Amino acid sequence: MGGSHSREGLELSDTETDSEEEEEEEVSEEETPVSTPIRSQTQTVTPTSVSDIDAKLQSLKLKYSSPSTSSPIASLSDKVKLYLHTGGTSSSARWIVSEKSTHYSFIQSTDGKEDDGSSYWFLIVGSKVRAVVSRDLQLKAFPDQRRVDFVANGVWALKFGSAAAYHEFYRQYERGLFENTFGVEATEENRIKIFGKDFMAWARPAEADDDIWEDAEENPERSPRILTPIKRSADLLEEYEEEAANSGGIQSLALGALDNSFLVGNSGIQVVKNLRHGIQGRGVLVKIGKRSGEFSTPSKALLTKAETNMLLMSPEILGRPHSTGIQQADIETGKIVTEWKFDKDGADITMRDITNDSKGSQLDPSQSTFLGLDDNRLCRWDMRDKRGAVQDITSSAASPVLEWAQGHQFSRGTNFQCFASTGDGSIVVGSLDGKIRLYSNSSMRMAKTAFPGLGSPITHVDVTYDGKWILGTTDTYLILICTLFKDKDGKEKTGFNGRMGNRIAAPRLLKLTPLDSHLAGADNKFHGGQFSWVTENGKQERHLVATVGKFSVIWDFQQVKNSKHDCYANQEGLKTCYCYKILLKDDSIVDSRFMHEKFASGGSPEAPLVVATPKKVSSFSISTPSWRI
């Protein structure tokens, strides 16, 4: 299977500099053609292109006209060159010069934002670019090239005449981003208020100690060596694809670690077989419905009791992710066993999400509890009564009530959005304000550690089985956090079972390049970032995967952790990894998840990746290691 690379590195021909207006006419709206379903993105593809163009322009000895002295923008910056990327990843892709000599400025304005009386920083470049300073720009900096790439109704590159000019631009950009994100002036005092003294490594990553990342390496002998992505993606993935029997469209995946997995859709739940090469349909569509017979598409399907039962949760109010109860279905019979109500102290309450007590608890046949999350609630529900006996759910016409076994109802303001559990039952919770809180397996009342937010809501969160790593998903990036620290006695702990104090490493970000972010289309928001799936102590997750529009994006976990990885060289701000592989589908992807580790074949280091679109489900077996040393 062939692979295509980013076209960001293409050179500019001499004839493409002749006419600025002609170049603009060549810009096509068809920015999405990708001829192959998988391609590799590496950090080394992008950096040389604009430098090459700059050298060619210098060799042409072009005479740039002076800007108008009446322009309020012209006096605000040194001259810069603006380039536009056209053609996407097609054979005609190239960089063109959009403005040969122009100026940029950062201005505060209320234009283009909600009428709330607030002003926001905007980036203006010549006559072509006007955009709010935010992470939506997907700005990628190249300090060694005096260059930044970004997205603003197209993919642009800005080239500076000197290192000082570049650093001044980046300083202004960082200021504007902080003030637009947090709504306060970018002073040292306010940074301390936002991040806290213990987390200043997040605000000043250049001063952060990276040793903890090296301490967390599972294979110490590999850490001093630089991991380099392979340069071709041929034969990396072997695809197994079939049409879904669920005519109503697949809405979500419920992957099992035993014999079966399940495709949840509008018309029912399709049972599929777990195989070494992926999942395969068995032609069985179970229409699990309420007692009245109608089927309601659940927002969450959770396997329990050794995967013989499934808990189904559907929003009570259309358009809101909150439910007043769940349905318990017997998978073997395809029938609803009962409908449970969420109740605390005699009053109906709602839940936003549910999950298993721990990473492997769905395999426990005796498991009777599960975790629940609402905007300001974190709790454990029990399907037994207070005396520990299983409730009689057949004799009562009314829905039985779940027992609030443990938990806490917080004061307003936590705005919990998502959560996940570790192998030992510790809990990580992501919030609307971007904070990520860690709770031990013994208490839900107070977080052991609360990581500050970077200003973007956490829409999904996952954690490794051992609890050492957390992956948070936002619309524009993934954030990878190491929870390890050493206490005052030198003992290694995680933030789930000890207070980390100021011994906290800076996180790392995983992002798309500006070009790939643009190619992802209108629906270019990350969702569902996951680690590969292990349920055994001593096993290390190998990959990370997330979905963006029609892209399934895969990172090598070992490579992301390695501080010596060349992707991190010459970067500004938090270390950001742009080395990934993209799987492209014909339709928007519903979910991308790795199967359980037991399904890794003899010749593959990783279990198959399952990618679901509304109409199809595909399985990809990694036939050779995706990254080599």
Side-chain angles (χ1 to χ4, degrees), residues 9 42-51 140 142 144-145 147:
T42 71
Q43 187 267 349
T44 56
V45 173
T46 309
T48 59
S49 57
V50 175
S51 296
K140 183 179 181 182
F142 304 94
D144 55 332
Q145 299 177 50
R147 163 194 168 193

Side-chain angles (χ1 to χ4, degrees), residues 410-424:
F410 298 85
S411 60
R412 293 181 179 274
T414 53
N415 290 316
F416 294 152
Q417 298 291 298
C418 50
F419 69 152
S421 56
T422 67
D424 69 358

Side-chain angles (χ1 to χ4, degrees), residues 70-320:
S70 63
S71 170
I73 296 176
S75 61
L76 298 181
S77 73
D78 294 334
K79 292 179 181 179
V80 293
K81 297 171 186 173
L82 182 66
Y83 303 86
L84 177 66
H85 192 282
T86 66
T89 57
S90 67
S91 58
S92 61
R94 63 191 181 279
W95 286 101
I96 62 174
V97 178
S98 180
E99 294 197 21
K100 301 169 184 176
S101 179
T102 188
H103 298 263
Y104 75 85
S105 67
F106 290 91
I107 65 169
Q108 282 188 303
S109 172
T110 58
D111 294 345
K113 302 293 288 185
E114 295 181 5
D115 187 16
D116 57 3
S118 301
S119 61
Y120 296 86
W121 286 104
F122 284 74
L123 168 63
I124 296 177
V125 184
S127 61
K128 305 297 177 64
V129 175
R130 188 181 192 278
V132 178
V133 178
S134 73
R135 293 194 183 276
D136 289 340
L137 289 177
Q138 295 285 8
L139 188 135
K140 183 179 181 182
F142 304 94
D144 55 332
Q145 299 177 50
R146 311 186 310 278
R147 163 194 168 193
V148 295
D149 292 2
F150 59 94
V151 179
N153 294 321
V155 183
W156 306 90
L158 200 57
K159 181 77 173 181
F160 302 89
S162 67
Y166 160 80
H167 287 296
E168 176 59 20
F169 171 91
Y170 198 80
R171 184 191 67 80
Q172 293 186 54
Y173 163 77
E174 286 279 272
R175 172 192 173 187
L177 180 63
F178 182 90
E179 296 187 2
N180 282 357
T181 299
F182 298 108
V184 294
E185 189 178 353
T187 64
E188 185 68 10
E189 180 182 4
N190 283 333
R191 292 183 190 277
I192 294 175
K193 288 181 180 179
I194 294 295
F195 293 103
K197 292 183 178 179
D198 291 341
F199 292 90
M200 289 313 291
W202 293 42
R204 297 192 294 261
E207 303 172 17
D209 184 358
D210 256 10
D211 288 347
I212 195 66
W213 287 82
E214 302 307 322
D215 292 342
E217 293 286 354
E218 293 301 316
N219 294 317
E221 70 275 9
R222 294 180 65 179
S223 48
R225 303 160 73 184
I226 296 178
L227 298 178
T228 304
I230 62 173
K231 296 182 179 180
R232 57 188 296 270
S233 55
D235 301 324
L236 280 182
L237 303 176
E238 297 172 352
E239 182 178 8
Y240 181 84
E241 180 179 84
E242 64 182 22
E243 298 282 342
N246 199 324
S247 59
I250 301 173
Q251 297 295 315
S252 64
L253 296 174
L255 292 185
L258 300 177
D259 293 334
N260 300 318
S261 288
F262 305 87
L263 311 178
V264 182
N266 293 331
S267 59
I269 298 176
Q270 182 182 350
V271 184
V272 292
K273 185 73 173 176
N274 290 334
L275 302 171
R276 288 289 178 179
H277 64 262
I279 65 173
Q280 182 175 353
R282 300 174 63 184
V284 179
L285 185 65
V286 182
K287 291 195 174 183
I288 300 175
K290 295 183 179 180
R291 292 170 183 172
S292 58
E294 78 274 13
F295 180 78
S296 176
T297 306
S299 59
K300 185 64 173 285
L302 187 69
L303 290 167
T304 64
K305 296 185 179 297
E307 301 182 357
T308 62
N309 278 230
M310 183 181 289
L311 303 182
L312 306 173
M313 188 173 78
S314 300
E316 184 70 16
I317 303 174
L318 186 63
R320 295 192 62 204

Side-chain angles (χ1 to χ4, degrees), residues 47 54 78 153 187 203 215 234 275 295 301 303-304 317 332 335 371 391 490 519 531 570 578 599 604:
D54 189 38
D78 294 334
N153 294 321
T187 64
D215 292 342
L275 302 171
F295 180 78
L303 290 167
T304 64
I317 303 174
E332 294 181 355
K335 295 181 179 180
L371 301 173
Q391 297 192 47
L519 293 177
F531 292 101
N570 298 311
Y578 293 96
F599 294 103
S604 173

Side-chain angles (χ1 to χ4, degrees), residues 267-504:
S267 59
I269 298 176
Q270 182 182 350
V271 184
V272 292
K273 185 73 173 176
N274 290 334
L275 302 171
R276 288 289 178 179
H277 64 262
I279 65 173
Q280 182 175 353
R282 300 174 63 184
V284 179
L285 185 65
V286 182
K287 291 195 174 183
I288 300 175
K290 295 183 179 180
R291 292 170 183 172
S292 58
E294 78 274 13
F295 180 78
S296 176
T297 306
S299 59
K300 185 64 173 285
L302 187 69
L303 290 167
T304 64
K305 296 185 179 297
E307 301 182 357
T308 62
N309 278 230
M310 183 181 289
L311 303 182
L312 306 173
M313 188 173 78
S314 300
E316 184 70 16
I317 303 174
L318 186 63
R320 295 192 62 204
H322 302 272
S323 177
T324 57
I326 58 170
Q327 299 170 292
Q328 182 182 352
D330 186 307
I331 292 172
E332 294 181 355
T333 64
K335 295 181 179 180
I336 296 295
V337 175
T338 191
E339 297 179 30
W340 299 90
K341 290 178 61 178
F342 296 124
D343 176 282
K344 185 179 187 297
D345 300 329
D348 291 344
I349 62 174
T350 60
M351 288 283 109
R352 168 184 285 272
D353 197 7
I354 57 174
T355 195
N356 293 111
D357 274 343
S358 68
K359 281 279 187 183
S361 61
Q362 73 183 59
L363 303 175
D364 184 354
S366 63
Q367 192 73 26
S368 63
T369 60
F370 61 93
L371 301 173
L373 184 80
D374 205 27
D375 294 355
N376 300 295
R377 299 185 185 102
L378 176 62
C379 64
R380 175 172 286 106
W381 295 105
D382 198 333
M383 291 180 282
R384 302 169 297 179
D385 67 16
K386 294 180 179 180
R387 296 177 300 276
V390 177
Q391 297 192 47
D392 184 358
I393 59 179
T394 60
S395 61
S396 175
S399 295
V401 174
L402 289 160
E403 175 67 23
W404 175 288
Q406 181 187 4
H408 187 67
Q409 184 159 319
F410 298 85
S411 60
R412 293 181 179 274
T414 53
N415 290 316
F416 294 152
Q417 298 291 298
C418 50
F419 69 152
S421 56
T422 67
D424 69 358
S426 299
I427 306 167
V428 53
V429 183
S431 301
L432 186 64
D433 59 3
K435 289 183 179 178
I436 293 178
R437 296 173 172 88
L438 310 186
Y439 295 87
S440 71
N441 55 11
S442 60
S443 175
M444 299 180 184
R445 180 172 292 274
M446 182 176 292
K448 287 290 187 180
T449 302
F451 294 103
L454 297 179
S456 300
I458 302 296
T459 61
H460 189 272
V461 70
D462 196 17
V463 59
T464 56
Y465 185 84
D466 58 19
K468 294 179 180 180
W469 307 94
I470 294 168
L471 183 66
T473 303
T474 75
D475 287 349
T476 54
Y477 59 87
L478 307 181
I479 180 170
L480 181 66
I481 299 172
C482 180
T483 70
L484 282 176
F485 74 100
K486 291 183 179 179
D487 64 15
K488 60 182 180 180
D489 298 323
K491 183 179 179 181
E492 186 178 272
K493 293 183 178 179
T494 73
F496 289 100
N497 52 38
R499 297 196 176 280
M500 300 179 70
N502 60 3
R503 299 174 293 276
I504 297 171

